[in-house]
Amino acid sequence: MLGVSGGIACYKACSIVRQLVEAGATVDVVMTVSATEFVRPVTFEALSGRPVLTSLWQRDQALAHIHLGRDSHLIVLAPATANLLARAASGIADDLLTAILLATETRVLAAPAMNDAMYAHPATTANIATLKGRGWQFVGPAIGPLAEGPSEKPGRMTEPEEIVAHAKRLLCAPSSALQGKRVLVTAGPTREHIDPVRTISNPSSGKMGFSVATAAFTRGADVTLVSGPSLLQDPTGVETVRVETTSEMLETVRALLPEADVLVMAAAPADYVPRSTADHKLARADGPITLALEPTPDILENTANQRGSRCVTVGFALETEPGLERARAKLERKQLDLIVLNSATQSDSGFECDTNRTTFITQRTMTELPLLSKHEVADKLLDEVEAML
Ligand code: CTP
């Protein structure tokens, strides 16, 4: 259930409904009368495909305040105004939404949205503390421009994507073996410098690793993402550490491994580093030049002892030929529990695209998957990890 109270952020609540519906949720929207001044109920009706309730007195809905709260798996309040939080904290039930909040035992996730001074007011602070004490979860508010102008203090509603990410986690984590587990994911390319302005790298976008990190967060894991240079934004709820070179990635993974229950190496670390890096920009030569390269450390091989059998480890094998045997050899050599053979023979799989053709290989099994989005591959991968845990 999405409860919408009256603030300018109401227009963003439309996007929350859309994203939740897209993710497979059935969403009942309940609006306060003030919220209907900002966005008309028909908008939410179209997005949710269900009637929108706004009043205790709607025809045939006499018990809506009891059954809506009881039948929902999660109540999201976005935007949650200062007034809504105050009424909920005091147990006031003078409209449908607050009556539901008083009658329900369902978990509540609130996304406050208000003027920064209202948020900083001791009354609001006390109300939020009271509601947290009753088990309510909060996301935000964020810092950023408010309706009345720029602000450097919290008040603005957290973006819909982030609210939805937290809602998904609250819904999915209880049934996942990853809940409370520590998951370490690597992503993206690494980059080795030839001189201060030139590098050796590869076109990995980071999408596969970022998808795994996001999916692990949804399943309730405590996720750290170690990413090489990637244009993607830090995923919601995930501690993201940015590195540049393969050696930096190795050192960061080493430092984080003792805590990790799961390691997913989705990164494409550069395999070679120039023997020496010039400290100034090299001048262009007239003829060909020769660059001496040395292998970088292999992160999986160098951490095999440290991981032991304690940490479920997943690697990827990007191959441009049918690579079953090479992938199997990597599974052995790098001491993995699962290797995801990733075919880069077609343009819809491999680097810089949103889909992958993969085969999952363990010591005993081999499963060829159809063309899937990287998000779907991430979910299948974590299903395997859960089974192994
Ligand atoms: N990998 C690693 N350290 C490296 C290079 C790769 O830990 N220096 C990891 C990758 O993250 C991936 C797995 O090893 O999970 C296989 O990577 P891949 O590039 O397919 O294999 P390589 O070992 O680099 O072998 P080759 O280049 O010969 O295919």
Side-chain angles (χ1 to χ4, degrees):
M1 193 198 101
L2 177 71
V4 185
S5 55
I8 184 60
C10 277
Y11 79 94
K12 291 190 182 172
C14 301
S15 171
I16 296 175
V17 177
R18 220 183 85 101
Q19 290 179 43
L20 287 172
V21 168
E22 250 171 32
T26 303
V27 186
D28 282 307
V29 178
V30 175
M31 302 175 76
T32 64
V33 172
S34 307
T36 64
E37 297 284 342
F38 288 92
V39 176
R40 295 191 60 194
V42 68
T43 307
F44 288 107
E45 259 166 34
L47 290 167
S48 66
R50 295 171 70 79
V52 168
L53 299 182
T54 56
S55 160
L56 278 161
W57 312 111
Q58 257 157 291
R59 202 178 260 274
D60 304 328
Q61 299 290 348
L63 287 174
H65 65 294
I66 306 298
H67 69 72
L68 263 181
R70 192 189 53 203
D71 297 346
S72 300
H73 294 102
L74 178 68
I75 296 177
V76 179
L77 301 176
T81 59
N83 185 39
L84 178 70
L85 297 175
R87 289 189 295 144
S90 317
I92 293 172
D94 58 355
D95 65 4
L96 178 61
L97 182 53
T98 48
I100 289 170
L101 294 174
L102 195 60
T104 192
E105 289 178 5
T106 301
R107 284 169 309 161
V108 178
L109 172 67
M114 61 198 75
N115 165 270
D116 51 13
M118 287 172 140
Y119 183 69
H121 195 284
T124 305
T125 309
N127 290 333
I128 290 177
T130 300
L131 294 166
K132 280 187 178 163
R134 293 185 199 144
W136 281 32
Q137 308 247 357
F138 283 81
V139 49
I143 296 172
L146 298 167
E148 58 276 25
S151 163
E152 282 166 14
K153 296 186 192 135
R156 177 190 165 89
M157 190 174 82
T158 300
E159 290 305 313
E161 290 69 23
E162 206 171 314
I163 296 170
V164 170
H166 283 276
K168 282 186 183 171
R169 180 173 163 102
L170 284 169
L171 288 166
C172 298
S175 58
S176 171
L178 279 164
Q179 184 171 27
K181 297 282 187 220
R182 287 184 181 262
V183 176
L184 178 56
V185 184
T186 65
T190 59
R191 192 154 74 181
E192 307 293 343
H193 275 270
I194 299 167
D195 69 18
V197 295
R198 298 191 186 89
T199 57
I200 298 179
S201 191
N202 62 66
S204 166
S205 61
K207 282 179 185 165
M208 192 61 244
F210 278 62
S211 294
V212 172
T214 300
F217 174 75
T218 301
R219 293 177 189 225
D222 195 343
V223 190
T224 306
L225 174 66
V226 181
S227 175
S230 164
L231 295 175
L232 300 175
Q233 278 184 7
D234 292 4
T236 295
V238 170
E239 192 184 334
T240 305
V241 184
R242 304 273 176 170
V243 298
E244 186 170 25
T245 66
T246 299
S247 292
E248 280 169 27
M249 188 173 273
L250 171 62
E251 288 321 310
T252 310
V253 167
R254 263 205 188 117
L256 294 166
L257 256 183
E259 305 277 294
D261 300 299
V262 178
L263 169 64
V264 180
M265 271 292 302
D271 285 318
Y272 287 93
V273 51
R275 182 168 288 159
S276 62
T277 301
D279 57 8
H280 57 278
K281 184 182 173 193
L282 295 172
R284 178 195 163 97
D286 278 343
I289 61 158
T290 303
L291 207 54
L293 302 176
E294 282 176 347
T296 55
D298 188 291
I299 297 168
L300 284 171
E301 286 184 37
N302 277 279
T303 54
N305 286 342
Q306 201 186 346
R307 295 190 320 258
S309 55
R310 185 189 52 80
C311 177
V312 172
T313 306
V314 181
F316 280 74
L318 181 74
E319 304 292 351
T320 52
E321 323 277 333
L324 266 186
E325 286 320 308
R326 283 172 53 80
R328 279 216 178 87
K330 286 176 192 174
L331 180 78
E332 288 297 325
R333 193 171 73 241
K334 302 190 185 219
Q335 297 183 38
L336 309 176
D337 298 293
L338 167 68
I339 193 152
V340 178
L341 169 59
N342 193 355
S343 158
T345 47
Q346 293 171 48
S347 60
D348 58 10
S349 183
F351 283 158
E352 292 184 303
C353 59
D354 292 328
T355 49
N356 260 349
R357 292 176 191 280
T358 56
T359 305
F360 284 12
I361 304 164
T362 67
Q363 291 290 350
R364 276 167 295 142
T365 61
M366 193 190 84
T367 317
E368 200 178 330
L369 302 177
L371 181 71
L372 294 174
S373 74
K374 288 184 177 175
H375 298 298
E376 289 166 324
V377 174
D379 266 320
K380 299 267 182 221
L381 183 160
L382 291 182
D383 287 346
E384 291 289 319
V385 168
E386 284 197 15
M388 287 171 176
L389 280 171

